[in-house]
Amino acid sequence: MTSGFKLLCAALIALGLTGCIAAPIEMTAQTETRLKTQAPVRFLLTFDDGPSASSLWNPSATVLDSLKDNPLQPGIKAVFFVQTRAPRAGNSDIGRSLMRREHDEGHIIAFHTATHWHTNHRLLDPQELEESLTNGTADIAAISGAPPTLLRPPFWNYDKRTFAAYQQHGLHVLLTDLSANDGKIWGFNASPRRRANMLRQLSEVRERIALGELPTVDGVIPVVVTFHDLNRYTARHTREYLQILLDSAAATGVRLADKPFYDDHAALEKAALARTVENSSEAVNLPGMWNWIWDHDAH
């Protein structure tokens, strides 16, 4: 086990156990004034690590059901960053069936990894990385009819070498603005203090919106939100998470579009591409502790 992975595990466990989430940033009069000149926000939902291969109450299928049928905005479209060669995910009959469903229902199938395990791409040698990218893009093309254009590296981590490899395959890195903190932590499936977490993170994003740091696409500002569809807790509470996002926007003074979530495939893809990282040296803003973990050596 590498020292970096140990650090990551320790940080995640500590965060989950302590639940230490700072209070939302108070909105100043200056921020409130600046927000009035900005476009409204639309949440761009993304899901990592799936699809689940479970034959017993499949969480990925439950997430899809909730996006399709919910009281807030039926027919929500999302980006699914899939693991195509993981036996408990996309490298299974159930997983491939779910990816076909994702495509048929108008979601975007994007690339996460095509390794047996959820492996940091920076730990792969050049040949292993090339094989993962080649296999993964081919796997997705077999489902959707075209290779993917969006990629999210495992752990949101990349360097100049891996970023260059992504570009050679026509893949654009999409990170995130908000995280549900629902990644699986040593078998612990939950999202500690999910409302406090979203409130704090969205207040931070609000400050960036007020400063004009986020682009406007088709009259709205896309704010990227990350969940994990392998997490059964997330699957059971997907509809609640949608409401939490709306409540957090109201509580932090973030103005939402009439449709607060994307429900059109083409608009979703256009917005996602507008939020991708343009070059490997570009400064990134990851939620919570992720900047602290990665920024010292990642870019």
Side-chain angles (χ1 to χ4, degrees), residues 33-275:
T33 299
R34 286 174 171 172
L35 283 175
K36 293 177 181 178
T37 67
Q38 299 294 334
V41 160
R42 180 170 291 154
F43 292 118
L44 195 164
L45 304 185
T46 67
F47 293 85
D48 288 4
D49 293 355
S52 170
S54 176
S55 60
L56 179 64
W57 194 81
N58 187 288
S60 296
T62 302
V63 167
L64 288 169
D65 292 342
S66 297
L67 295 177
K68 184 177 182 178
D69 182 17
N70 65 80
L72 300 178
Q73 188 180 328
I76 295 171
K77 310 305 179 190
V79 180
F80 287 87
F81 290 96
V82 298
Q83 300 187 79
T84 67
R85 295 291 171 108
R88 297 181 65 182
N91 193 18
S92 64
D93 290 339
I94 293 174
R96 284 183 285 271
S97 176
L98 282 166
M99 286 191 285
R100 285 191 289 272
R101 178 183 169 184
E102 289 166 0
H103 172 68
D104 292 344
E105 293 186 359
H107 302 286
I108 293 175
I109 306 177
F111 182 67
H112 200 40
T113 192
T115 51
H116 184 87
W117 304 107
H118 186 265
T119 305
N120 189 324
H121 287 169
R122 296 176 66 198
L123 302 181
L124 302 177
D125 65 36
Q127 181 178 347
E128 290 172 329
L129 179 60
E130 178 61 25
E131 288 177 356
S132 178
L133 296 174
T134 299
N135 291 337
T137 53
D139 294 338
I140 292 173
I143 298 291
S144 66
T149 58
L150 295 169
L151 170 143
R152 176 172 288 155
F155 309 107
W156 298 318
N157 193 223
Y158 58 89
D159 57 19
K160 291 181 179 180
R161 175 180 70 91
T162 60
F163 194 90
Y166 303 153
Q167 289 184 313
Q168 290 175 0
H169 284 265
L171 294 165
H172 303 268
V173 174
L174 179 66
L175 299 176
T176 195
D177 301 308
L178 307 175
S179 170
N181 287 346
D182 64 339
K184 186 172 182 180
I185 306 170
W186 293 90
F188 177 70
N189 279 305
S191 180
R193 299 185 62 192
R194 56 193 182 277
R195 284 187 177 270
N197 171 56
M198 284 297 184
L199 277 169
R200 171 65 189 189
Q201 291 185 24
L202 190 54
S203 73
E204 293 173 349
V205 173
R206 179 200 63 209
E207 300 301 304
R208 295 175 56 205
I209 292 172
L211 293 173
E213 295 179 358
L214 273 62
T216 298
V217 183
D218 293 333
V220 298
I221 297 173
V223 169
V224 184
V225 189
T226 295
F227 301 95
H228 292 76
D229 57 305
L230 290 187
N231 190 321
R232 293 178 182 274
Y233 181 93
T234 296
R236 289 195 303 271
H237 295 86
T238 299
R239 293 182 178 89
E240 181 183 355
Y241 272 119
L242 299 178
Q243 185 64 58
I244 287 173
L245 286 169
L246 301 192
D247 293 345
S248 298
T252 56
V254 171
R255 181 165 59 99
L256 295 178
D258 292 337
K259 288 186 175 182
F261 305 100
Y262 283 89
D263 59 8
D264 177 80
H265 179 100
L268 174 66
E269 184 174 41
K270 183 177 180 181
L273 287 171
R275 294 302 317 278

